[in-house]
Amino acid sequence: MNPLNSPLEISVRALVLLAEIHPEPLDLAQLALLDHAVLHSGDLDGPPSLHPSLPGHSGELGMKRTVLEQALLVLIRAGLAGVEADETGLVYRATERGPAFVDILEAPYVGRLRERAEWAVHHWAPDTDVRQATAELISGSLSASAPFEGRRE
């Protein structure tokens, strides 16, 4: 198994995001965009990126959703996250065990991941329209300095 961008690796990143926003839920589109923001935060006027800025990294979003769904199943089976339906569709939420599990992870990478998740959830995403941001990211016109109006309600 290749651990790079595997469901296991992405489940850790998703859990860190869900733990950061806990007890609020996120839908799949929000998780995919926030995961991208965490990995490429330097491109969005945030902390230095965790992954290098390579040409075409916006194309990751297309593949990310499928692996992210698999990653969320890993978290659900482990009892670290749950899925529920709300008026907009399916959303995912860390269980009470999720943030506690993240707290015991000691790897330096996880520490850097948590810093970027805090930035993405609290400073970059609150006013971000997920669909517009995703479309602009894919087209290469995402502006780091101009927040988007609205968010998934």
Side-chain angles (χ1 to χ4, degrees):
M1 175 175 112
N2 181 2
L4 184 62
N5 285 320
S6 69
L8 183 58
E9 178 192 0
I10 294 176
S11 69
V12 171
R13 297 195 317 243
L15 182 59
V16 168
L17 286 164
L18 291 171
E20 182 61 40
I21 202 163
H22 185 267
E24 297 299 315
L26 294 169
D27 66 22
L28 190 61
Q30 290 171 315
L31 275 166
L33 186 64
L34 284 170
D35 184 60
H36 184 86
V38 164
L39 296 178
H40 303 289
S41 52
D43 297 345
L44 302 170
D45 290 341
S49 297
L50 284 175
H51 290 190
S53 184
L54 301 172
H57 69 258
S58 61
E60 295 171 3
L61 283 174
M63 297 182 340
K64 187 176 303 243
R65 287 181 63 101
T66 301
V67 180
L68 185 54
E69 287 175 325
Q70 296 168 357
L72 289 164
L73 287 175
V74 169
L75 295 175
I76 292 165
R77 286 183 188 132
L80 300 172
V83 61
E84 57 196 61
D86 71 6
E87 64 280 354
T88 64
L90 295 178
V91 292
Y92 302 87
R93 182 188 318 263
T95 64
E96 293 301 319
R97 293 174 54 197
F101 183 82
V102 170
D103 285 343
I104 64 170
L105 299 175
E106 296 180 358
Y109 179 82
V110 175
R112 293 189 303 270
L113 182 60
R114 291 181 77 175
E115 291 169 2
R116 282 140 186 94
E118 187 275 333
W119 166 81
V121 166
H122 299 291
H123 301 286
W124 184 74
D127 297 318
T128 300
D129 178 310
V130 173
R131 289 189 175 143
Q132 181 179 353
T134 301
E136 291 190 14
L137 184 63
I138 290 170
S139 71
S141 62
L142 181 62
S143 171
S145 59
F148 299 101
E149 296 299 320
R151 80 180 274 198
R152 179 183 124 8
E153 297 295 334

